[in-house]
Amino acid sequence: MSTLTASPLAPLLEQLFDQADAVTSPAFSGISRDERERLMRSKTEYLDLYGRLKDLWLPVSRETGALLYMLARGTRAKNIVEFGTSFGISTLHLAAALRDNGGGRVITSEFEPSKVAKAREHFDASGLGDLIEIRQGDALQTLSIDLPPSIDLLLLDGAKSLYSDILDLIEPHLAPGAMIVADNADYCPDYLQRVRASGSGYLSVPFADDVELSMRLR
């Protein structure tokens, strides 16, 4: 048994995924598809958009959660950074891998206070809270300071338009062989162009329907 598949985490995650599937948001459904697409790609209105989405869980899929655990375990990660905590489902998968690796730290950032509060409850219930540092505020500020010298895994799952900006902050700390998982990266074409470019220092491939998986080569 692993931390991911044992109690208390396994039943907690099942409960959280079920809750996430059941939640709807009138604020979100009231935004037209074209407006939603525009806001998802905006570098100036992301706080407004995600403020409107504060009731939605916006979790990774069950499959992506398992992928995160496997990547962190397989690379024996010790230091992980996450952009976009939401209610903490992805964070829990990463922290479970750290527990099974013998310890470490997930630094995760979320600007919506109500989500931070609920995520903390979930972290406490999981027994993994000692491995997680949650930073409240705009990640362009919270992830610009006090990072470990070497980061083994980066998860990008916040405002899609900021993926390149967040990578700018984290890149100097990425260890050779560090993995980057970018959820719904199609909304940030400049990020995809960057990590897929020849000579970029990354090896990058699309993975499943909604994930870009990249490795830092140097």
Side-chain angles (χ1 to χ4, degrees):
M1 298 290 286
S2 72
T3 299
L4 185 67
T5 58
S7 184
L9 183 58
L12 175 63
L13 282 173
E14 191 60 33
Q15 173 190 340
L16 296 181
F17 273 122
D18 287 345
Q19 289 181 30
D21 290 341
V23 169
T24 59
S25 170
F28 184 70
S29 59
I31 305 173
S32 70
R33 181 171 181 176
D34 287 346
E35 179 68 358
R36 193 181 310 162
E37 291 283 322
R38 186 187 70 79
L39 290 170
M40 289 284 283
R41 298 174 189 276
S42 172
K43 287 183 177 289
T44 59
E45 298 177 83
Y46 59 92
L47 291 178
D48 173 59
L49 172 64
Y50 284 89
R52 293 197 227 176
L53 304 184
K54 65 181 181 179
D55 296 325
L56 286 181
W57 286 57
L58 305 173
V60 296
S61 67
R62 287 171 168 82
E63 294 77 14
T64 300
L67 173 67
L68 292 171
Y69 175 84
M70 289 188 288
L71 288 172
R73 281 298 313 276
T75 59
R76 301 197 62 79
K78 292 297 183 184
N79 291 303
I80 297 173
V81 172
E82 176 183 43
F83 168 47
T85 314
S86 194
F87 288 94
I89 288 178
S90 52
T91 322
L92 290 171
H93 284 84
L94 294 168
L98 291 184
R99 178 73 81 215
D100 293 339
N101 285 347
R105 179 170 56 148
V106 183
I107 297 172
T108 183
S109 180
E110 173 60 48
F111 86 92
E112 177 53 51
S114 61
K115 287 190 171 183
V116 171
K118 291 300 294 184
R120 289 191 195 279
E121 292 180 14
H122 301 153
F123 299 158
D124 290 342
S126 73
L128 298 172
D130 59 305
L131 301 169
I132 301 167
E133 176 189 340
I134 185 166
R135 299 181 179 183
Q136 183 177 320
D138 188 334
L140 292 177
Q141 279 75 53
T142 63
L143 297 182
S144 67
I145 56 171
D146 297 331
L147 296 177
S150 182
I151 293 170
D152 306 302
L153 191 152
L154 170 63
L155 172 59
L156 299 172
D157 195 22
K160 315 309 173 189
S161 60
L162 298 186
Y163 282 4
S164 288
D165 302 89
I166 299 298
L167 183 58
D168 284 339
L169 299 178
I170 307 302
E171 188 173 75
H173 303 268
L174 290 176
M179 305 301 299
I180 306 171
V181 179
D183 202 39
N184 302 121
D186 287 347
Y187 286 104
C188 192
D190 60 319
Y191 172 82
L192 291 178
Q193 182 178 12
R194 174 176 177 173
V195 296
R196 292 176 180 177
S198 175
S200 65
Y202 296 95
L203 181 64
S204 191
V205 294
F207 187 88
D209 293 331
D210 56 357
V211 168
E212 182 77 8
L213 180 60
S214 309
M215 174 185 284
R216 182 65 169 161
L217 297 176
R218 59 177 186 236

